[in-house]
Amino acid sequence: NTSLKELNLRSNNIGTEGAAHLGPHLADALRINTSLKKLFLSENNIGPEASAYLADVLRINTSLEKLDLGGNNFGPEGAAHLADALLGPKVRHILCGLGQHLAEGTVSRVE
């Protein structure tokens, strides 16, 4: 679907294993769909192991403007994967959880 502008997968308990399975499919979908502006993945119990899959998805995206990752368990290792991936795309608003909000250009290191 090239007209999808918002994808809300919030609170689906995707988990690390689910994210590992979802990652390649989401990456393929984002290659085709260049209209997705908002992606909500908060409260899904996604752990650090799955952050590499999510980082791959974020590296290929060219249209995403808002990303909500709050309420997951990325830990320092996972946060580092994601921060590295987010330095390239044009994501303007990144919601990390606990009220933290990072705007474009401010992601340099995540602890």
Side-chain angles (χ1 to χ4, degrees):
N1 182 346
T2 57
S3 62
L4 182 66
K5 296 187 186 313
E6 183 174 313
L7 180 58
N8 186 347
L9 297 174
R10 195 181 283 154
S11 299
N12 278 291
N13 200 25
I14 292 170
T16 296
E17 186 176 331
H21 291 291
L22 178 65
H25 301 292
L26 187 56
D28 288 343
L30 289 176
R31 279 188 193 99
I32 296 166
N33 182 322
T34 57
S35 62
L36 186 68
K37 303 291 183 199
K38 300 176 183 178
L39 178 59
F40 300 94
L41 292 170
S42 61
E43 304 296 330
N44 273 300
N45 198 29
I46 300 173
E49 301 85 10
S51 65
Y53 298 108
L54 184 53
D56 289 343
V57 169
L58 296 173
R59 281 187 189 93
I60 63 159
N61 179 267
T62 59
S63 62
L64 197 60
E65 294 178 357
K66 184 173 184 175
L67 174 64
D68 186 349
L69 298 173
N72 288 295
N73 302 310
F74 295 119
E77 178 185 346
H81 285 294
L82 295 169
D84 180 55
L86 290 168
L87 289 175
K90 299 176 182 176
V91 179
R92 290 189 210 157
H93 303 284
I94 305 160
L95 304 171
C96 300
L98 300 175
Q100 295 175 323
H101 177 268
L102 302 175
E104 182 179 8
T106 63
V107 180
S108 59
R109 185 174 157 216
V110 180
E111 294 183 2

